[in-house]
Amino acid sequence: MASSSALRIPTPTHHPAAVARPRLPRAAFVSVRARRPAVSVSASSPQQTPGDDDGPTGVPVPVPSSRDTAIALPRPLTSADLMGETNTHGLKVAYQGCPGAYSEAAARKAYPGCQTVPCEYFETAFQAVESCVADRAVLPLENSLGGSIHRNYDLLLRHNKLHIVGEVRLAVCHCLLANRGVKIENLRSAMSHPQALAQCEQTLTMLGIEHREAVDDTAGAAKHIAEQKLLDTGAVASSLAAELYGLDILAENIQDDTDNVTRFMMLAREPIIARTDKPFKTSIVFSLEEGPGQLFKALAVFALRKINLTKMESRPHKKRPLRVADDNCSTPLKHFDYLFYVDFEASMADPNAQNALNNLKQEFATFLRVLGSYPTDVSET
């Protein structure tokens, strides 16, 4: 899991002793102010409708040839390095969650030395980049235990002026945090995001902690415990959260499954120049006509060119949720209409990939958009 609240994964079955989620104070988030005109971060941004004049590529290719109540966090203006970028001084990177969230750790891994900008919601992070409040955003796409973060797939389609320019994987290592002087045997309850609590269920039970308190954010849980000076409640959060909020780490790596990795996308206003001298991945979204074998035929454009698919995700088409099918029945049947999100191992600078997408668009897809073509993360998690 990456950030508690950053990981909007389908909520697991709650522990029988789970209680209502306390509302965390809004002060946990930095106010996002635009450099030029102030931009509202409400959900009132106009939605983009799939099917605009998006070309099959859409990505440029090279032309051959302490624990105080008010916790102050540093905001350094330094430089960051992204795949050949030269002018990155003062790069601001938005993420969803409180300072100390796993998403912030992912942002710092993606852009070392950056200035991180916490946002209350996923859409706030998208809008922060669109409005130039932030230069980049780092947001979770999928977790090895919890699956895809569907909200961000939907937002990718809506915010079609943003592009995926990279990916970063982060291993999630949960810690049990408490105020100074508190011992494990003093704890009666654990507070965190419901996904984090579910991932540590067996360990928490073994430690004798019976009650669970679900909140919106792992780092927010740590901040709440520190500010309220709770002595009988611990937080399941990151070691960075312990450092920021002045908490003790009572136990490390308390997740029940050690293979817990989250993949994040890196968003920017401009796409990067696709290359062929390093491993690249391309992310697309498309829709198809109804009919037998349509998806099989669509995916064959990649198989016939020996292009490997690494991920496929289907989501109901929000603009056209139902499709009427003529199945020779007295009553017309209604089916969901779907969008298909696909990642494949190829660069948009590769003519093979361009030919595959041209084939897909001309013969099968009713809508096709390239979300980004970017270097594959080959680093250690």
Side-chain angles (χ1 to χ4, degrees):
M1 202 184 94
S3 156
S4 58
S5 71
L7 289 180
R8 289 289 181 184
I9 306 164
T11 307
T13 303
H14 285 198
H15 188 279
V19 299
R21 303 184 181 185
R23 179 68 176 172
L24 297 178
R26 286 184 176 270
F29 303 96
V30 170
S31 174
V32 178
R33 299 182 182 273
R35 295 173 186 163
R36 296 188 288 272
V39 175
S40 170
V41 293
S42 68
S44 59
S45 295
Q47 279 198 339
Q48 303 295 334
T49 303
D52 294 340
D53 295 330
D54 297 298
T57 56
V59 176
V61 297
V63 177
S65 69
S66 95
R67 288 189 331 212
D68 294 333
T69 300
I71 298 174
L73 298 172
R75 289 288 181 265
L77 291 177
T78 58
S79 60
D81 179 32
L82 170 67
M83 295 163 284
E85 291 188 56
T86 56
N87 185 17
T88 58
H89 180 73
L91 199 69
K92 293 184 177 181
V93 181
Y95 68 93
Q96 190 274 327
C98 289
Y102 291 106
S103 286
E104 183 181 24
R108 294 188 184 281
K109 181 180 179 182
Y111 300 98
C114 70
Q115 178 183 353
T116 55
V117 181
C119 300
E120 188 170 5
Y121 303 111
F122 288 131
E123 185 155 22
T124 310
F126 275 85
Q127 293 178 342
V129 179
E130 283 183 329
S131 62
C132 300
V133 173
D135 304 297
R136 302 285 185 274
V138 174
L139 298 167
L141 273 181
E142 59 182 340
N143 176 264
S144 58
L145 299 181
S148 297
I149 292 81
H150 298 123
R151 176 62 175 160
N152 282 335
Y153 278 97
D154 294 340
L155 289 171
L156 272 173
L157 191 65
R158 179 185 303 176
H159 296 269
N160 64 345
K161 294 182 180 180
L162 299 184
H163 307 269
I164 303 177
V165 296
E167 66 174 1
V168 61
R169 294 174 300 148
L170 183 75
V172 176
C173 300
H174 292 306
C175 299
L176 179 61
L177 314 181
N179 279 297
R180 299 277 168 83
V182 175
K183 306 297 183 185
I184 291 181
E185 52 267 26
N186 302 138
L187 299 179
R188 299 179 56 239
S189 180
M191 178 184 294
S192 193
H193 186 275
Q195 192 70 23
L197 294 174
Q199 292 173 1
C200 304
E201 176 63 32
Q202 295 178 23
T203 304
L204 291 173
T205 300
M206 254 180 16
L207 293 174
I209 303 174
E210 299 179 357
H211 300 284
R212 312 285 184 264
E213 296 182 52
V215 295
D216 291 334
D217 190 1
T218 54
K223 186 175 190 293
H224 179 76
I225 286 173
E227 291 182 342
Q228 299 301 316
K229 297 179 172 57
L230 302 180
L231 302 180
D232 62 348
T233 303
V236 176
S238 67
S239 56
L240 176 60
E243 179 183 344
L244 291 178
Y245 302 115
L247 299 176
D248 283 343
I249 299 177
L250 304 186
E252 296 181 283
N253 296 320
I254 63 171
Q255 59 273 8
D256 300 331
D257 192 329
T258 56
D259 295 326
N260 187 0
V261 178
T262 299
R263 184 169 74 95
F264 294 79
M265 61 178 170
M266 299 144 68
L267 291 176
R269 289 181 293 277
E270 298 294 334
I272 64 171
I273 301 298
R275 297 162 55 176
T276 58
D277 59 347
K278 61 170 62 177
F280 256 65
K281 182 181 291 184
T282 299
S283 298
I284 64 173
V285 56
F286 61 90
S287 59
L288 298 170
E289 288 289 356
E290 176 69 20
Q294 286 297 307
L295 181 57
F296 171 80
K297 294 172 186 176
L299 297 182
V301 305
F302 302 103
L304 292 173
R305 294 171 175 84
K306 301 187 185 306
I307 297 176
N308 185 43
L309 305 184
T310 60
K311 178 179 175 62
M312 183 171 181
E313 181 88 11
S314 63
R315 296 284 293 149
H317 199 316
K318 290 191 173 183
K319 289 293 184 182
R320 295 181 301 176
L322 291 176
R323 179 201 300 263
V324 178
D326 183 7
D327 292 339
N328 297 321
C329 298
S330 56
T331 303
L333 298 178
K334 292 184 178 181
H335 303 287
F336 278 118
D337 198 8
Y338 286 95
L339 291 166
F340 299 96
Y341 292 82
V342 169
D343 293 347
F344 60 86
E345 291 179 329
S347 167
M348 283 306 302
D350 183 353
N352 204 32
Q354 295 179 33
N355 291 336
L357 293 191
N358 281 326
N359 190 181
L360 176 62
K361 183 175 180 65
Q362 292 171 8
E363 297 192 33
F364 306 109
T366 57
F367 161 74
L368 172 64
R369 180 181 297 162
V370 174
L371 301 172
S373 190
Y374 48 91
T376 303
D377 181 14
V378 295
S379 65
E380 294 292 329
T381 57

